[in-house]
Amino acid sequence: MPDITRTGTAKTETTTFREVMAEIVQRITEGPWGPGTLLPGEVELAEAFGCSRTTMNRALREVSELGFLDRKRKAGTRVRMAPIRQARFEMPVVRAEIEKTGAVYGYQLVSSAVVVAPEWLRLRMGLKARAHVVHLLCLHFADGVAFQLEDRWINAGALPQALQQDFTESGPNEWLVATVPFSEVEISFLAQAADAGMVAHLDHALGDPVFCVERATWWQNAAVTLVTLAHRRGYRMTTRY
Amino acid sequence: MPDITRTGTAKTETTTFREVMAEIVQRITEGPWGPGTLLPGEVELAEAFGCSRTTMNRALREVSELGFLDRKRKAGTRVRMAPIRQARFEMPVVRAEIEKTGAVYGYQLVSSAVVVAPEWLRLRMGLKARAHVVHLLCLHFADGVAFQLEDRWINAGALPQALQQDFTESGPNEWLVATVPFSEVEISFLAQAADAGMVAHLDHALGDPVFCVERATWWQNAAVTLVTLAHRRGYRMTTRY
DNA sequence: CGACTCCTTATGTGTAGACATAATAAACAT
DNA sequence: ATGTTTATTATGTCTACACATAAGGAGTCG
């Protein structure tokens, strides 16, 4: 039966790769494809699902990116024994994070100074001896309550404009992402004991555990900035999936 | 040799979507496509790059998933003003995390008990009044040194097998991922003050800041387990990109 | 002016077909 | 037995083409 234009009628009866994905995920999580199962080949599956191999390939690839499948040439597609658990945090600018909760964002510059980089900073960022840095302390408020204390160092060698820039009205982060948008970044999450600065500006007692995010960024192998974001009491960073 | 198979000579001269991606990313980060730029349409780009639109589409889609591009039908493809910063952590089983560093993994069950769920746990996980839970304390070692203290609660109502299971030889996590592999998960990162248990088993003084990961999991809307993973002094969770 | 319709356009996705490549398995030689 | 080559096979990717869909913009009408 030589095929005639499949284009004839309207409504897609084609199986979309999203439908295929959903079905595959369901078969893995609830259905017959338990951990360790070796799936049939793409060609066979495509036939069974009534779609082209291209579509099946895309579906399998994306399910695999979700962490459920392990694919290898020749070896085939296998359901992982345990799915890869991945926590993915989008790190918006503080302003966006606060405004998303419906709160009013507030900003205040606490202190600003140009200093010679201290030893630990030089080692951490790979700065030259006697390199000058801009050191800023800033506060971010949610509905008038201190939400985050930003302790930032900017390498004046790499970004001399930072020396002239005025940070009293808006934070250095917004200026930096506009100035050096595509930098290499290293992010760390850690717990720190509250120091004097955090006690003074956040709702902490000296030595309290503080959840901190540290972000170091480089641009073309030159250190740009190092920032530690200290959060208010009880802050937790959460993701669900 | 009659056959002219193009495989004979040079490497494929087809432009692969990875090459295209690399070029696009470079044009964004270093080249002429600064933040806000509206890119030419897929057809035009494909022609310029000497590839098919399919390939260009894939390249653009993946670059967009990296957070550099914003794509909308009809509106076109635009370079984001600031790339979406995303921290992505793969959360392997502790054993794998430790062995990846080359250290020898060690495990020890500290305590095990079946108790009625305390109030806060009932609220946190949505358990019924007087629900029974298994409460475990376990230690994970790297080269003999305590690395992580696992404080785990398992809902015996949803997983009665947990009552019989023996956790003296291997941790509850490995048993759980094998038993309930595909659960819904909520992960939080937070800073906590060291309590008596952490002081006893990790290298902490009372009240020290401890970096903790809390993971709650459900399966088909029933609470399965809640675990708090307390880390050793100075631990930080890092990602780079 | 404002709200509505319709057209256009760029991306989104599906299909068939072909070749590329990695990795296993089988055949072979040492 | 062991190491090496060769064949096989499942996934990976490219191509050309077609239709689907969202959304901007022009034109229309009250």
Side-chain angles (χ1 to χ4, degrees):
Chain A
M1 183 176 297
D3 143 308
I4 307 298
T5 72
R6 61 171 165 298
T7 65
T9 32
K11 293 303 174 189
T12 41
E13 297 189 13
T14 58
T15 324
T16 87
F17 82 94
R18 284 173 200 284
E19 289 166 358
V20 176
M21 274 183 72
E23 175 65 23
I24 291 173
V25 168
Q26 184 170 345
R27 289 197 190 179
I28 293 174
T29 54
E30 300 168 29
W33 292 344
T37 306
L38 178 65
L39 267 54
E42 291 185 344
V43 190
E44 192 176 334
L45 279 174
E47 205 166 323
F49 276 74
C51 65
S52 70
R53 184 168 89 88
T54 314
T55 300
M56 182 52 70
N57 178 280
R58 171 131 191 222
L60 287 168
R61 173 158 37 90
E62 304 231 344
V63 173
S64 151
E65 270 162 25
L66 290 179
F68 288 112
L69 294 174
D70 193 26
R71 315 195 73 201
K72 274 204 310 226
R73 277 176 171 150
K74 166 74 183 179
T77 302
R78 193 175 289 275
V79 180
R80 293 202 125 94
M81 291 312 257
I84 295 209
R85 291 293 177 198
Q86 42 194 3
R88 203 162 135 278
F89 297 96
E90 293 198 352
M91 322 248 359
V93 214
V94 211
R95 168 184 230 113
E97 187 180 356
I98 289 174
E99 284 173 347
K100 205 177 58 185
T101 70
V104 177
Y105 171 76
Y107 167 80
Q108 184 197 325
L109 177 63
V110 175
S111 73
S112 165
V114 179
V115 295
V116 173
E119 180 72 10
W120 67 266
L121 183 64
R122 280 189 31 230
L123 293 173
R124 179 77 177 79
M125 301 296 289
L127 301 176
K128 281 185 288 218
R130 289 191 304 283
H132 280 70
V133 291
V134 180
H135 185 201
L136 302 165
L137 267 187
C138 319
L139 265 175
H140 303 274
F141 299 87
D143 278 340
V145 179
F147 175 84
Q148 188 185 80
L149 178 65
E150 173 177 353
D151 184 336
R152 183 179 293 271
W153 305 82
I154 303 175
N155 179 10
L159 274 179
Q161 314 103 289
L163 295 166
Q164 269 78 50
Q165 191 64 27
D166 175 34
F167 296 115
T168 53
E169 291 307 316
S170 71
N173 192 37
E174 312 199 10
W175 178 72
L176 279 164
V177 295
T179 309
V180 192
F182 305 108
S183 44
E184 202 188 335
V185 180
E186 183 183 286
I187 296 181
S188 295
F189 294 161
L190 54 121
Q192 226 175 68
D195 63 21
M198 303 177 193
V199 172
H201 299 292
L202 296 170
D203 181 25
H204 285 293
L206 201 65
D208 268 2
V210 181
F211 180 81
C212 293
V213 177
E214 188 193 278
R215 195 163 51 197
T217 78
W218 290 262
W219 189 63
Q220 298 180 346
N221 292 321
V224 174
T225 181
L226 176 72
V227 62
T228 301
L229 305 167
H231 292 80
R232 62 161 206 286
R233 267 174 73 86
Y235 178 82
R236 43 168 72 200
M237 187 162 254
T238 301
T239 187
R240 189 168 183 151
Y241 60 102
Chain B
M1 300 300 135
D3 143 330
I4 308 287
T5 64
R6 72 156 96 77
T7 63
T9 36
K11 303 282 181 189
T12 41
E13 298 186 14
T14 58
T15 322
T16 93
F17 81 94
R18 284 172 202 284
E19 289 166 356
V20 177
M21 274 183 72
E23 174 65 23
I24 291 173
V25 168
Q26 183 170 346
R27 289 198 190 177
I28 293 174
T29 55
E30 301 168 29
W33 291 344
T37 306
L38 178 64
L39 267 54
E42 291 185 344
V43 190
E44 193 175 334
L45 278 175
E47 207 167 321
F49 275 74
C51 66
S52 70
R53 183 169 89 89
T54 314
T55 299
M56 183 51 72
N57 179 281
R58 171 130 190 223
L60 288 169
R61 175 157 36 89
E62 304 230 345
V63 172
S64 150
E65 270 162 26
L66 289 179
F68 289 112
L69 294 174
D70 194 25
R71 315 195 74 202
K72 273 205 311 227
R73 279 179 170 144
K74 166 73 183 178
T77 303
R78 192 174 290 275
V79 180
R80 293 201 125 93
M81 291 313 257
I84 294 207
R85 291 294 177 198
Q86 43 195 0
R88 203 164 134 276
F89 297 95
E90 294 200 350
M91 322 249 355
V93 217
V94 209
R95 168 185 230 113
E97 187 180 357
I98 288 174
E99 283 172 348
K100 206 179 56 187
T101 70
V104 177
Y105 171 74
Y107 168 78
Q108 184 196 326
L109 177 63
V110 175
S111 74
S112 165
V114 179
V115 295
V116 172
E119 181 71 9
W120 67 266
L121 182 63
R122 280 189 30 231
L123 292 172
R124 179 77 177 79
M125 302 295 289
L127 302 176
K128 281 186 289 221
R130 291 192 303 283
H132 281 71
V133 291
V134 181
H135 185 202
L136 302 164
L137 268 187
C138 319
L139 266 175
H140 302 274
F141 299 88
D143 278 340
V145 180
F147 175 83
Q148 188 184 80
L149 178 65
E150 173 177 354
D151 184 335
R152 184 178 291 271
W153 307 81
I154 304 175
N155 178 11
L159 273 179
Q161 314 102 290
L163 295 167
Q164 269 78 51
Q165 192 63 26
D166 175 35
F167 295 116
T168 54
E169 291 308 316
S170 71
N173 192 38
E174 312 201 8
W175 178 73
L176 280 164
V177 295
T179 309
V180 192
F182 306 108
S183 44
E184 203 187 335
V185 180
E186 183 183 286
I187 296 180
S188 296
F189 295 161
L190 55 122
Q192 227 175 66
D195 62 21
M198 302 176 193
V199 171
H201 299 292
L202 296 170
D203 182 24
H204 284 294
L206 200 66
D208 268 2
V210 182
F211 180 80
C212 292
V213 177
E214 187 192 279
R215 194 162 53 195
T217 78
W218 290 263
W219 189 64
Q220 298 178 346
N221 292 322
V224 174
T225 181
L226 176 72
V227 61
T228 302
L229 305 167
H231 291 80
R232 62 160 206 285
R233 267 174 75 85
Y235 178 83
R236 43 168 71 199
M237 187 163 254
T238 301
T239 187
R240 189 167 182 149
Y241 59 102

